Amino acid sequence: MIDAFIVFFGVLALVFAGLVLTLRQPMRAALALVAHMICLAAIYAALAVHVVALFQVLIYVGAVMVFMVYTIMLLDDRDASMRQRYSAAVVPAVIVAVVVAAALLLLLGEPAPAAAAAGAPFGFTAFALAFMKQYWFHFELATVLLLVGIVAAWTVIRESR
Amino acid sequence: MIARYEFLLALAAVLFSLGLLGVMIRRNLLVVVMSLEVMLNAVVLSFVAAAAHTQTLHGAAMSFFVYVAATCEIALAMAMLVLLVRRRGTLDLSADQELKG
């Protein structure tokens, strides 16, 4: 039952990723991307990794995509790149993408690590404790990255004036 | 019957290649950034698949850091994109050919 759920949302995620590539209007592509991310969140929830499913919906769909939609609305929607969707180098790009996909799928032939019995390590308590005990340094580094991001965005805004 | 772990990793590989294809073929700057997000999501999917397979927290913690990096990236990318579009007057990537590197 769970596996059928995962396959269903996996195929849907694939379809919406294809729509992001092919739709002409950026706004429609953004909505397809939102649907793609929600499908992935459903897969994470089916895998019982609820924390990441929540992050996916809150951070990606709630923050990143809303930001992107605002940017699309800020910019002019009648643009040369609407009439001509694809660049001239479509054929080499498709060849490169197929080769990359084939290489990644070949890597799947490597023996997988042993599966563990299903427990419940993905609750918020376990996650928070892991961050405080194991990943505190990485967590601090992430805050530094966010600070650098704020300073950089501020610089870009000053540049635009 | 293919195992769940292999199915998810294959899905992540195909999604990553689709995102790469989008970055290479689309002309619209906004759609190129969206294809980058598809690639990042494929990476997160592989992390979560590994975490659920081995029942450890490392993959889930890594995906959290990917989210932080993605948020930073999108905030900067959108600011730079608006700046570029104001300067060039178009969203077409071929207008930015003097960018080197």
Side-chain angles (χ1 to χ4, degrees):
Chain A
M1 182 60 207
I2 292 284
D3 278 328
F5 196 73
I6 289 176
V7 169
F8 173 70
F9 278 105
V11 172
L12 263 188
L14 213 55
V15 168
F16 282 120
L19 280 179
V20 172
L21 259 71
T22 48
L23 284 174
R24 193 176 293 269
Q25 298 273 352
M27 185 60 97
R28 291 186 183 168
L31 291 181
L33 188 56
V34 168
H36 167 76
M37 286 166 175
I38 291 177
C39 289
L40 288 183
I43 291 178
Y44 302 157
L47 288 172
V49 192
H50 298 124
V51 183
V52 180
L54 211 64
F55 282 156
Q56 176 88 7
V57 173
L58 279 180
I59 300 181
Y60 252 124
V61 181
V64 170
M65 286 318 294
V66 169
F67 198 33
M68 200 167 248
V69 166
Y70 269 117
T71 313
I72 293 170
M73 290 193 291
L74 262 179
L75 299 172
D76 188 17
D77 61 341
R78 286 178 298 280
D79 197 82
S81 58
M82 308 277 177
R83 285 191 295 280
Q84 201 174 4
R85 262 178 293 179
Y86 302 119
S87 72
V90 171
V91 177
V94 170
I95 292 171
V96 168
V98 168
V99 167
V100 168
L104 288 175
L105 290 175
L106 266 184
L107 278 179
L108 275 180
E110 302 284 315
F122 300 117
F124 274 102
T125 319
F127 207 74
L129 281 177
F131 266 97
M132 289 299 116
K133 286 180 176 167
Q134 280 175 284
Y135 295 105
W136 60 270
F137 183 66
H138 309 75
F139 194 71
E140 293 303 320
L141 274 185
T143 58
V144 172
L145 176 70
L146 283 176
L147 185 69
V148 171
I150 293 170
V151 173
W154 182 251
T155 318
V156 171
I157 292 168
R158 283 175 62 90
E159 173 81 13
S160 64
R161 275 179 191 158
Chain B
M1 182 65 192
I2 189 165
R4 181 194 289 179
Y5 178 62
E6 276 78 18
F7 169 76
L8 285 174
L9 283 193
L11 179 67
V14 174
L15 283 177
F16 186 87
S17 318
L18 264 181
L20 186 66
L21 184 65
V23 170
M24 288 189 290
I25 64 171
R26 289 302 298 251
R27 294 174 79 101
N28 193 311
L29 260 171
L30 284 161
V31 183
V32 168
V33 175
M34 285 180 219
S35 304
L36 277 176
E37 295 299 315
V38 172
M39 288 170 80
L40 267 178
N41 268 304
V43 173
V44 172
L45 176 64
S46 66
F47 277 136
V48 174
H53 183 67
T54 58
Q55 291 290 313
T56 50
L57 269 173
H58 307 299
M62 201 59 214
S63 64
F64 174 81
F65 294 119
V66 173
Y67 285 148
V68 174
T71 316
C72 233
E73 170 237 322
I74 203 75
L76 267 182
M78 288 296 127
M80 286 162 63
L81 199 148
V82 171
L83 208 65
L84 264 180
V85 172
R86 288 227 178 109
R87 198 162 286 182
R88 311 248 187 266
T90 173
L91 276 166
D92 202 327
L93 257 181
S94 55
D96 300 319
Q97 278 182 349
E98 73 254 36
L99 291 179
K100 296 285 195 297

